[in-house]
Amino acid sequence: LFQVYIDLHPDFFSVGLEKADARFLALCFILGVTSWSSLCRLIRAETLKISQLGYVQAAHAFGVSHQRILVRHILPNVTHIILITFVLDFSALVLAEAVLSYIGVGIDPSMGSWGNMINSARSELSREPAVWWTLTGAFFFMFMLVLAANLFADLVRDAFDPRTSDG
């Protein structure tokens, strides 16, 4: 729909890069709108579970405000879930961008992206001799980005998860 809007209103975009930026922002918006529900479901379930624990019930009984309970008891216990979900969603969003750009409905071909690099490298495979290193390089670096993000999330989870802290 965004591409149709861009095509029907060429006077809004005086330069080709503005069209590319509009497609990029539209893709970010669409992926953001469609990927928030799983995080909300996880956070709601964990919050409901934590709210039934004894120390949270005791805080309610002593008259501690809801905001203070959220900040002191609920938020520290769901932070690791938020971080892990963001990183796992990051990995899924990198893959979604690559697939959508590869098939031509993602980021504008004039912009650099994993899907555009893989798509241009695919055409290099049909040459004689075959140029395979561009495709291999794009896959390798995309894999390294996702692996680094997942390893970082594991370290952050270990640092922030209150159930794994020593003490």
Side-chain angles (χ1 to χ4, degrees), residues 25-116:
L25 290 174
L27 181 66
C28 290
F29 175 74
I30 291 167
L31 291 175
V33 164
T34 58
S35 66
W36 64 272
S37 60
S38 62
L39 174 64
C40 288
R41 190 171 35 93
L42 284 172
I43 297 300
R44 181 180 183 276
E46 189 70 16
T47 301
L48 289 174
K49 183 180 94 174
I50 293 169
S51 69
Q52 299 304 312
L53 295 176
Y55 63 92
V56 176
Q57 294 294 327
H60 275 295
F62 283 119
V64 178
S65 70
H66 292 292
Q67 182 179 0
R68 180 113 171 120
I69 290 173
L70 282 172
V71 171
R72 290 280 297 163
H73 300 297
I74 305 292
L75 189 61
N77 286 304
V78 299
T79 303
H80 68 283
I81 294 173
I82 294 169
L83 293 171
I84 295 301
T85 303
F86 276 158
V87 172
L88 291 177
D89 282 351
F90 172 78
S91 302
L93 292 173
V94 167
L95 180 61
E97 179 277 322
V99 168
L100 290 172
S101 296
Y102 178 77
I103 63 174
V105 295
I107 293 177
D108 194 76
S110 65
M111 296 181 79
S113 76
W114 297 114
N116 290 337

Side-chain angles (χ1 to χ4, degrees), residues 11-27:
D11 50 324
F12 290 161
F13 308 101
S14 59
V15 181
L17 288 177
E18 289 179 356
K19 287 183 184 180
D21 290 342
R23 281 183 70 172
F24 175 68
L25 290 174
L27 181 66

